[in-house]
Amino acid sequence: MNERPLKTVHVSAAIILRDSQNGGKEVFATERGYGDWKGWWEFPGGKIEAGESASAALVREIREELCAEVSVGERVAVVDYDYPDFHLCMECFAARVSSGELKLLERKSATWLDAQTLCSVKWLPADEMILEKVKELASKAGIKKRALDMYIGTQKSMPPADVAVRLAKALGVTVEYLVEGQDSASTETVDIKLKNDLKNIPTNLREKILETIHLISKKYIK
């Protein structure tokens, strides 16, 4: 006797990221407070309605569940998982809060997790399948931040010009960008190149680094 196929539930999930103080990223996780999976953790989101795109569903669900607006980025993964009563197809997107604050309207609790603490909660089986990809997202800026720590605040006895050069190397910015001409066209080019090289570093830290490099290079590098 053939078993009846499981009903497919199509959902969209948000991997909501924010910059952390250590230079990496943190991801927002919520805990279920009801049903068979009470006490298990998941990425927020919900069902995709008929005629609705996955990204539009995600924006709507976060607004309804967490009272905030999000900007939806790249699709990180698509998960297919058989729960006892249904088959889940879950499209997972990177996202950031664009306005408002995340507030729990339907969930038991929530927390921000980084790459080191990501596995410290009990994830729903389908969500657990993408943890390695989420960990990669949360770790992206960490490598450059560790390089920065080697040069900022530890080279006080070094001549300022050397600090600028070493800082540039730590960030993967070639030294030539520090000694280009001072006309407006080349300065604009330098800014664009630097910002591209620093794109994985949190915005507030990135702007301070740019300011530091420009001030040091202008004053000490001829």
Side-chain angles (χ1 to χ4, degrees), residues 98-115:
S98 57
S99 66
E101 296 182 5
L102 297 171
K103 299 177 182 179
L104 295 180
L105 302 181
E106 300 181 5
R107 306 289 174 160
K108 179 181 179 181
S109 60
T111 190
W112 289 94
L113 302 169
D114 60 19

Side-chain angles (χ1 to χ4, degrees), residues 93-154:
F93 294 85
R96 283 187 176 267
V97 175
S98 57
S99 66
E101 296 182 5
L102 297 171
K103 299 177 182 179
L104 295 180
L105 302 181
E106 300 181 5
R107 306 289 174 160
K108 179 181 179 181
S109 60
T111 190
W112 289 94
L113 302 169
D114 60 19
Q116 286 68 47
T117 59
L118 191 61
C119 296
S120 63
V121 300
K122 185 167 64 172
W123 290 95
L124 286 170
D127 296 69
E128 187 176 26
M129 293 175 68
I130 65 166
L131 290 187
E132 285 304 314
K133 290 187 177 181
V134 174
K135 188 177 293 186
E136 290 178 10
L137 289 176
S139 301
K140 272 188 175 181
I143 296 175
K144 286 188 176 181
K145 175 59 168 60
R146 287 194 293 273
L148 286 178
D149 290 340
M150 295 173 61
Y151 294 97
I152 297 177
T154 61

Side-chain angles (χ1 to χ4, degrees), residues 8-204:
T8 296
V9 178
H10 193 188
V11 304
S12 187
I15 302 169
I16 302 175
L17 299 162
R18 73 176 183 184
D19 298 329
S20 65
Q21 293 184 348
N22 66 5
K25 291 183 174 63
E26 295 175 324
V27 61
F28 190 72
T30 58
E31 181 184 9
R32 283 205 174 186
Y34 60 89
D36 295 337
W37 299 95
K38 180 180 179 180
W40 293 65
W41 290 74
E42 63 186 337
F43 298 107
K47 291 182 181 180
I48 301 173
E49 303 293 346
E52 190 177 38
S53 69
S55 58
L58 199 53
V59 171
R60 175 183 53 77
E61 286 286 347
I62 299 304
R63 184 186 301 128
E64 294 173 356
E65 292 186 9
L66 297 170
C67 201
E69 298 294 326
V70 294
S71 57
V72 180
E74 65 176 319
R75 187 169 69 177
V76 176
V78 177
V79 174
D80 283 286
Y81 186 85
D82 287 336
Y83 282 99
D85 300 324
F86 64 94
H87 173 81
L88 180 73
C89 178
M90 180 171 66
E91 297 190 46
C92 308
F93 294 85
R96 283 187 176 267
V97 175
S98 57
S99 66
E101 296 182 5
L102 297 171
K103 299 177 182 179
L104 295 180
L105 302 181
E106 300 181 5
R107 306 289 174 160
K108 179 181 179 181
S109 60
T111 190
W112 289 94
L113 302 169
D114 60 19
Q116 286 68 47
T117 59
L118 191 61
C119 296
S120 63
V121 300
K122 185 167 64 172
W123 290 95
L124 286 170
D127 296 69
E128 187 176 26
M129 293 175 68
I130 65 166
L131 290 187
E132 285 304 314
K133 290 187 177 181
V134 174
K135 188 177 293 186
E136 290 178 10
L137 289 176
S139 301
K140 272 188 175 181
I143 296 175
K144 286 188 176 181
K145 175 59 168 60
R146 287 194 293 273
L148 286 178
D149 290 340
M150 295 173 61
Y151 294 97
I152 297 177
T154 61
Q155 305 291 345
K156 293 181 179 179
S157 61
M158 186 177 296
D162 290 342
V163 174
V165 171
R166 293 196 177 198
L167 177 59
K169 289 181 178 179
L171 296 171
V173 181
T174 56
V175 178
E176 288 76 37
Y177 293 118
L178 295 176
V179 295
E180 281 197 47
Q182 295 299 312
D183 58 279
S184 59
S186 63
T187 301
E188 183 178 357
T189 303
V190 172
D191 287 342
I192 293 173
K193 173 60 177 156
L194 285 172
K195 288 182 179 178
N196 182 62
D197 287 335
L198 305 179
K199 64 184 178 181
N200 288 329
I201 294 175
T203 302
N204 58 341

Side-chain angles (χ1 to χ4, degrees), residues 197-216:
D197 287 335
L198 305 179
K199 64 184 178 181
N200 288 329
I201 294 175
T203 302
N204 58 341
L205 180 59
R206 183 188 318 151
E207 296 304 321
K208 290 180 181 179
I209 293 167
L210 286 170
E211 181 180 356
T212 300
I213 291 178
H214 284 202
L215 285 175
I216 293 177

